[in-house]
Each structure stands twice: as C-alpha cells, then as structure tokens.
Amino acid sequence: MTTLSEISLTITPFSSSLLTTDSDIFSLYKEELGNDTKNFVNERAYVTNKDMISALYDIVDETVASTCNVRLVLAGEKERQTWERFIDAYLAFHLETPRYRLHEILG
C-alpha cells in the first residue's frame, strides 16, 4: 500500500509547478492592462525568444501537463476526487478574485 508520504513525494514536483505558475497565468491580463512587463510570462518570452502569447501557451501547456501527471500518479479514486475538489476550489478562487480583474473578460 502506498503511503501518504510516498504520494506527496511523487506529486510534489507536478503540483508545485501548477501552484507556482497559475498566478502568473491569472495575473497576466491585469499586468498587461497596467503595462507591467516585469512578470514571468514576459520574462519567459524574452529568454525563449518567443512572443508573449507563445510563451503564455507554453506555460499553460506545462501547467495542464502537470495536472495530468498528478492525475496519473494518484492511484485511488478517493485520492483523485480529493485532488479534483482541490483544483476546482483553487481555480474558482483565482477566477473570482477581483485583483486579477478576470471578471472583465469572463463576464
């Protein structure tokens, strides 16, 4: 039987990636409105020699892949359901947080 510690060690790289890049993704709209180019997406575009939109898509793709990797690692239905509930609540919080101003584009 896999212990909680073993599961945590296995998913940490993937979940950490998701949890560190999501605010960069959600903040981009607000930052672009304020002409703030000192952010992860623009810095990533610069170092990869890509335009900002391409860099954003790369970051989103990596974030989705990390989420999928966590789902693959979580063997039990209970563990997957717990992860999905966490992700649903985490995303809802960020989508509804006024500081990101996403209500302006999501309606």
Side-chain angles (χ1 to χ4, degrees), residues 29-59:
Y29 172 72
K30 168 189 63 113
E31 291 164 349
E32 286 294 305
L33 288 177
N35 295 317
D36 177 6
T37 58
K38 300 283 188 207
N39 57 56
F40 179 68
V41 177
N42 281 288
E43 295 293 327
R44 173 82 173 259
Y46 176 77
V47 299
T48 58
N49 200 30
K50 294 183 176 183
D51 62 275
M52 188 263 302
I53 296 296
S54 296
L56 175 62
Y57 283 141
D58 289 348
I59 295 165

Side-chain angles (χ1 to χ4, degrees), residues 4-21:
L4 181 57
S5 295
E6 292 169 325
I7 292 170
S8 295
L9 286 173
T10 305
I11 69 168
T12 295
F14 306 121
S15 60
S16 293
S17 174
L18 168 70
L19 300 177
T20 57
T21 58

Side-chain angles (χ1 to χ4, degrees), residues 62-98:
E62 292 163 8
T63 302
V64 169
S66 291
T67 304
C68 291
N69 286 332
V70 170
R71 289 178 178 136
L72 289 173
V73 169
L74 296 175
E77 186 62 27
K78 181 180 177 185
E79 291 86 357
R80 278 195 295 275
Q81 286 178 357
T82 300
W83 172 255
E84 294 303 326
R85 283 194 307 273
F86 167 75
I87 289 298
D88 288 348
Y90 190 79
L91 293 176
F93 169 79
H94 282 81
L95 290 171
E96 294 173 13
T97 298

